[in-house]
Amino acid sequence: IAGITQAPTSQILAAGRRMTLRCTQDMRHNAMYWYRQDLGLGLRLIHYSNTAGTTGKGEVPDGYSVSRANTDDFPLTLASAVPSQTSVYFCASGHGESSTDTQYFGPGTRLTVL
Amino acid sequence: GQNIDQPTEMTATEGAIVQINCTYQTSGFNGLFWYQQHAGEAPTFLSYNVLDGLEEKGRFSSFLSRSKGYSYLLLKELQMKDSASYLCAVRDGDYKLSFGAGTTVTVRA
């Protein structure tokens, strides 16, 4: 039982390059989320998906895109990376719009954009 | 937007008690969560409050006052392994989580 997996674990990327961060969950959760975590700022929501086929923008969506073709996978794409996107990225999943829902986090991807 | 405040750092001695406060102002409220995050690892769920009062789970307890926009996490009988960041998160009216910046707790022998 894996829970949530993310790949890669870490990546160094040249500015201007395209990058896709992968996230897969095997808990059959409806909702999935992408956060970035920066020192002193805490976790900030980038994009989310309440169910397969739907996505929405979070607090800091600019420069990122997502897709949700099926229940298990929720990739995050940086079309043209910039140094300000250097961060630790966490994917999370949960049952969705329920007041008792708990989000479970993947191990994270540490991304450095030079 | 959301405004969630918690202290940046706290230090305590092994075996002691530490209380981490969290104040919030959000558009709508659908529960408050506490997560623990060890350095270099993912956040893990600790506790959830949606009604006023105290929820106890072993050495950890969490309190909520919705009218005051206030919560605290109480860690009792501190152990070295409790050294971590503790994140306060509020679920707003759209069921999205907003996180505070986290409180780093250091437990000293």
Side-chain angles (χ1 to χ4, degrees), chain A residues 35 37 40-43 45 48 50 90 97-103 105-107, chain B residues 30 33 35 37 40-43 45 48 50 87 91 94-97 99-101:
Chain A
Y35 294 89
Q37 188 174 37
L41 294 178
L43 287 156
L45 183 64
Y48 65 92
N50 287 329
F90 287 101
E97 292 187 355
S98 160
S99 62
T100 59
D101 179 43
T102 299
Q103 291 186 18
F105 286 80
Chain B
N30 279 299
F33 295 78
Y35 281 82
Q37 186 177 25
E41 298 183 8
F45 170 75
Y48 168 73
V50 68
L87 314 180
R91 175 173 288 135
D94 293 327
Y95 292 95
K96 301 300 174 287
L97 277 184
F99 286 82

Side-chain angles (χ1 to χ4, degrees), chain A residues 26-77:
Chain A
D26 64 2
M27 297 179 282
R28 308 306 295 173
H29 284 160
N30 288 326
M32 297 186 75
Y33 311 86
W34 274 106
Y35 294 89
R36 60 178 290 173
Q37 188 174 37
D38 303 289
L39 196 63
L41 294 178
L43 287 156
R44 292 181 292 168
L45 183 64
I46 304 170
H47 284 287
Y48 65 92
S49 169
N50 287 329
T51 188
T54 69
T55 62
K57 294 181 179 181
E59 181 185 353
V60 288
D62 294 343
Y64 306 94
S65 63
V66 291
S67 62
R68 186 87 184 277
N70 57 60
T71 299
D72 298 345
D73 301 301
F74 191 43
L76 177 74
T77 297

Side-chain angles (χ1 to χ4, degrees), chain B:
Chain B
Q2 324 299 352
N3 190 15
I4 300 171
D5 291 316
Q6 50 182 129
T8 303
E9 295 180 332
M10 301 183 75
T11 301
T13 305
E14 198 173 14
I17 298 173
V18 69
Q19 177 175 314
I20 306 170
N21 296 324
C22 173
T23 58
Y24 64 89
Q25 292 176 306
T26 60
S27 51
F29 180 82
N30 279 299
L32 187 142
F33 295 78
W34 284 95
Y35 281 82
Q36 181 190 58
Q37 186 177 25
H38 285 100
E41 298 183 8
T44 55
F45 170 75
L46 278 181
S47 69
Y48 168 73
N49 296 70
V50 68
L51 299 176
D52 290 353
L54 188 68
E55 294 282 341
E56 296 189 82
K57 268 188 176 183
R59 295 189 298 112
F60 293 179
S61 303
S62 57
F63 171 83
L64 175 67
S65 169
R66 289 172 296 171
S67 62
K68 295 182 179 179
Y70 169 69
S71 173
Y72 68 72
L73 179 70
L74 196 68
L75 286 61
K76 293 176 277 190
E77 301 170 18
L78 278 173
Q79 302 176 10
M80 299 300 288
K81 67 179 181 179
D82 297 329
S83 291
S85 285
Y86 292 85
L87 314 180
C88 175
V90 177
R91 175 173 288 135
D92 64 20
D94 293 327
Y95 292 95
K96 301 300 174 287
L97 277 184
S98 293
F99 286 82
T103 299
T104 299
V105 172
T106 302
V107 181
R108 296 187 299 196

